[in-house]
Amino acid sequence: MGDSGGSWATPEFAAEAARVVEAYRPLVEPLAHAVGPGVEVVLHDLSKLPNSVVAIAGGLSGRTVGAPATDLGLRLLMQDDPPESIVGYRTELPGGIVCRSSTIFLRGDADRPVAALCLNRDIGQLTAARDLLAALVDTPAVSGHDRSETFYDSVENLTDDLLRRAIGAVGGDVAAMSKADKTRVVKDLERRGFFLIKESVELAARALGVSRYTIYNYLND
C-alpha cells in the first residue's frame, strides 16, 4: 500500500470513507466516556492510509489525529476478504500498557472496509486485581496430605463419619468382612487420626463387632 491507500482506494472509495467517518466521528468522544476510564477509542479513515487516524479519545497510546494505522490493521486489510471485526485480542501500547483491544471494520456501501473503529482497554489494573483474587482464593494442596476438609458440629458426627468412610473404603458390609478386611479398616482409621479421639477404640470395636483388645491387635499387626 502506498500513501494513496492502495489501488482499491479510488475517489469513489474515498468519498464513501468520508461519509462513513462523518457518521461515526461523533461517537468517538462519548463512547470513550461511556465505556469508562482506561479506554481509548480510535476512528480510522482507510482512504487516508498510512496516516489513517481521524479521531481519537482516551489518550492511552499517546497518538493524535494523523497517526498511522497499526501493523495488524494493515495485515488484515491486505486479506482478500478482511473480517467484519476482531474482538478481544491482546495488544501492548507504548510504555508497556497492556490492553484488550477490538477492531470493527466499517464498509458502508463499499465492497471493502472504508473505515475502522478501534477500542483499547487498559487491563493492567484488572489483571493485577485478578491475580490478587486468584491468590486469595487459591487452595493449594498441602504436601503429603489430602486437601479436603470437613467441618463437624459434634464429636459424635466426626467419629461416625470417619467410621463410615473407613468401612466404606473396604467394602461396607461389616458382617461379611474377614480379619484382613477389619485390619484394613482399623489401619485406615489410624491414618485418619481416629484413635486420637477419646473412647475411639471402644467405638471401633463396636462398629466392627470385635473386642477392644482385638482392635489393639489389629493396630499392632
Side-chain angles (χ1 to χ4, degrees):
M1 292 183 182
D3 289 346
S4 64
S7 59
W8 44 270
T10 61
E12 292 78 13
F13 180 94
E16 183 63 12
R19 184 185 71 80
V20 171
V21 163
E22 288 312 304
Y24 282 88
R25 189 193 299 270
L27 298 178
V28 172
E29 191 77 33
L31 184 58
H33 289 295
V35 176
V39 174
E40 178 180 77
V41 180
V42 188
L43 182 63
H44 293 266
D45 181 337
L46 301 182
S47 72
K48 298 182 181 298
L49 288 171
N51 303 102
S52 58
V53 175
V54 292
I56 187 167
L60 288 180
S61 64
R63 291 175 296 173
T64 59
V65 171
T70 66
D71 56 347
L72 174 62
L74 294 175
R75 290 199 306 273
L76 292 173
L77 290 172
M78 286 302 298
Q79 296 179 7
D80 291 336
D81 186 20
E84 296 292 333
S85 63
I86 175 170
V87 176
Y89 56 94
R90 184 185 186 278
T91 54
E92 187 169 333
L93 301 182
I97 297 174
V98 177
C99 291
R100 184 180 190 272
S101 298
S102 298
T103 295
I104 304 167
F105 287 113
L106 309 170
R107 295 176 184 259
D109 293 330
D111 293 334
R112 297 186 65 85
V114 296
L117 185 65
C118 304
L119 289 85
N120 304 307
R121 175 184 289 278
D122 181 355
I123 59 172
Q125 291 183 336
L126 293 173
T127 301
R130 179 199 63 190
D131 293 343
L132 174 60
L133 289 172
L136 290 174
V137 303
D138 187 28
T139 54
V142 179
S143 179
H145 297 277
D146 183 352
R147 72 174 63 187
S148 63
E149 184 174 20
T150 305
F151 297 87
Y152 303 94
D153 57 7
S154 69
V155 174
E156 182 181 5
N157 286 338
L158 168 60
T159 54
D160 286 348
D161 188 50
L162 293 179
L163 282 165
R164 178 185 58 79
R165 293 189 190 191
I167 292 171
V170 173
D173 185 0
V174 174
M177 285 185 182
S178 64
K179 176 184 176 182
D181 292 333
K182 292 181 179 181
T183 301
R184 287 168 55 200
V185 171
V186 170
K187 293 295 187 182
D188 192 355
L189 288 170
E190 184 179 28
R191 285 193 296 271
R192 294 175 187 272
F194 180 82
F195 294 107
L196 298 174
I197 302 169
K198 185 179 180 181
E199 298 181 356
S200 54
V201 172
E202 289 77 4
L203 291 171
R206 190 179 308 131
L208 294 177
V210 297
S211 70
R212 60 194 306 271
Y213 300 105
T214 302
I215 298 296
Y216 287 123
N217 290 333
Y218 290 160
L219 286 170
N220 292 326
D221 280 352

